Amino acid sequence: MISVVVPVYNEGPNLPLLMDRLEAALRAAGKPYEIVFVDDGSRDNSLEILKGFVGRNGVRVLELTRNYGQHSAIMSGFSVVRGEIVVTIDADLQNPPEEIPAVVRAMEEGNYEVVGTVREMRKDSIFRKIPSRIVNVMTRRITGIRMSDWGCMLRAYRREVVDRMVESQEYSTFIPALATLFAKRMTEIPVGHAERHAGASNYNMWKLLNLQFDLLTSFSEFPLRVLLYMGTGMAVGGMAFGILLAVMRIFYGAEWAENGIFTLFAVLFFFVGALFFAFGIMGQYIGRIYHEVRKRPRFTIRNLHGE
Ligand code: UDP
Ligand code: MG
């Protein structure tokens, strides 16, 4: 059985077409299926429209109590799936549902645990593309996770991988990256990409930046290591500078040193700035620890509509 998990946040105008195309694509795949729509606290009529789909073959609607964000919404869907192969897809029709059979086929033919996708000819604005290209390269380097296209959510996971992700009670996480921790056999296939059918992206620069930070701090200690190197470098530099000042004073007298007073200010500012930077990063990790120890639920399900 195939389970498709669709996070939905204010996607009202996209849903009827999405439903029709999903249904057609899954029928074409010729396997039993279920579609789990997760209403992530939408403020428009998305939930009503989704409830209207209940009763159509395999449709279930998970109603969250508020907006938890795309990844938590998907995770809540994961917690109720029943299929052996679990596919995630966006609700805005940017990932063509028609690609689902190909993704499933790739998984079965290669006996893979995770099938990722790479968007061919991405249809996004340049302001959405450039940041994600930077994000792709940077995260690949820092986390060491081999994934070509971090943003594409049309992906398939074996049920075991999904169950392990649900079990790992991490608060803020990035699902495609988390999956790589629990799977060995992974592959990527190219898929099409379309413009958003209706509405605007729920991500702005700010949300993307936050997501990126979550990703970095949850999958690597790289920022901490940078701090360490920087701190060491600065301490050595500061010491050398102090020695230089002392030596210069001996040779050229106090006058010279006095003229250097503004240099000292510059040095001070530099160190204070670096300190703030260091505290900021440490704060990020402490914030994460705080999140984890509180053991707050990642999502709260109000209702599950449909059988
Ligand atoms: N989404 C969600 N909760 C949110 C934001 C987004 O469930 O808080 C869903 C949204 O409905 C869509 C998917 O996540 O199905 C991707 O969102 P969007 O298209 O806005 O992101 P982009 O394609 O620009 O990365
Ligand atoms: Mg989108």
Side-chain angles (χ1 to χ4, degrees):
M1 179 163 166
I2 305 172
S3 297
V4 180
V5 175
V6 193
V8 175
Y9 181 59
N10 298 344
E11 303 280 8
N14 297 323
L15 293 175
L17 183 59
L18 172 73
M19 182 64 216
D20 290 341
R21 285 176 61 182
L22 269 177
E23 210 164 48
L26 287 164
R27 283 222 186 96
K31 284 190 202 311
Y33 66 85
E34 65 171 357
I35 308 173
V36 179
F37 289 103
V38 183
D39 175 59
D40 188 18
S42 297
R43 291 167 205 281
D44 67 351
N45 58 349
S46 293
L47 181 61
E48 278 63 51
I49 297 175
L50 291 177
K51 279 187 192 162
F53 296 156
V54 174
R56 282 166 84 164
N57 187 17
V59 173
R60 293 200 286 161
V61 176
L62 202 56
E63 181 185 344
L64 300 187
T65 51
R66 65 164 170 87
N67 179 242
Y68 282 92
Q70 184 184 0
H71 292 266
S72 295
I74 293 174
M75 201 59 97
S76 73
F78 280 175
S79 72
V80 303
V81 291
R82 295 190 279 222
E84 283 313 306
I85 293 179
V86 182
V87 178
T88 57
I89 189 167
D90 282 352
D92 56 5
L93 290 164
Q94 286 200 278
N95 312 130
E98 292 72 30
E99 301 274 12
I100 293 178
V103 176
V104 171
R105 213 177 313 121
M107 173 164 268
E108 288 184 328
E109 277 169 7
N111 194 24
Y112 290 109
E113 289 173 291
V114 174
V115 178
T117 50
V118 182
R119 289 169 281 191
E120 278 185 331
M121 304 224 301
R122 241 183 111 173
K123 298 274 175 35
D124 273 319
S125 72
I126 194 101
F127 298 104
R128 187 70 187 72
K129 258 196 232 170
I130 289 177
S132 59
R133 187 154 305 165
I134 298 171
V135 162
N136 278 343
V137 172
M138 228 172 74
T139 14
R140 209 164 34 220
R141 286 234 137 146
I142 293 179
T143 60
I145 298 173
R146 301 243 157 270
M147 202 172 355
S148 316
D149 190 349
W150 289 74
C152 190
M153 290 306 285
L154 173 56
R155 287 166 184 276
Y157 309 94
R158 290 259 177 213
R159 177 60 176 284
E160 300 87 62
V161 176
V162 164
D163 287 344
R164 274 172 242 158
M165 284 196 270
V166 173
E167 270 166 34
S168 86
Q169 288 288 334
E170 204 168 340
Y171 189 81
S172 43
T173 195
F174 192 84
I175 286 173
L178 188 63
T180 64
L181 302 184
F182 299 123
K184 193 167 73 177
R185 294 182 52 77
M186 292 181 275
T187 188
E188 288 181 333
I189 62 168
V191 294
H193 192 238
E195 311 226 16
R196 222 173 199 289
H197 177 62
S201 170
N202 291 300
Y203 281 100
N204 49 30
M205 275 303 248
W206 184 239
K207 269 194 168 179
L208 275 181
L209 209 66
N210 281 335
L211 189 69
Q212 180 61 14
F213 224 105
D214 273 351
L215 182 59
L216 277 190
T217 49
S218 56
F219 287 96
S220 95
E221 268 88 57
F222 179 75
L224 280 181
R225 225 173 317 134
V226 169
L227 267 188
L228 190 73
Y229 295 148
M230 258 177 32
T232 316
M234 261 179 332
V236 170
M239 220 142 60
F241 192 58
I243 292 170
L244 180 79
L245 280 179
V247 170
M248 294 300 259
R249 201 194 139 97
I250 289 167
F251 283 111
Y252 299 99
E255 241 167 74
W256 183 88
E258 207 178 53
N259 294 339
I261 200 154
F262 288 111
T263 326
L264 283 179
F265 268 112
V267 171
L268 186 73
F269 286 146
F270 176 69
F271 280 106
V272 170
L275 251 148
F276 269 93
F277 178 75
F279 278 126
I281 293 206
M282 272 193 261
Q284 288 293 328
Y285 281 94
I286 293 169
R288 288 191 67 81
I289 294 170
Y290 181 51
H291 260 312
E292 303 300 342
V293 298
R294 267 190 315 203
K295 284 268 171 279
R296 244 187 218 172
R298 281 175 293 183
F299 50 82
T300 325
I301 298 170
R302 177 171 284 146
N303 242 319
L304 177 57
H305 309 273
E307 218 357 84

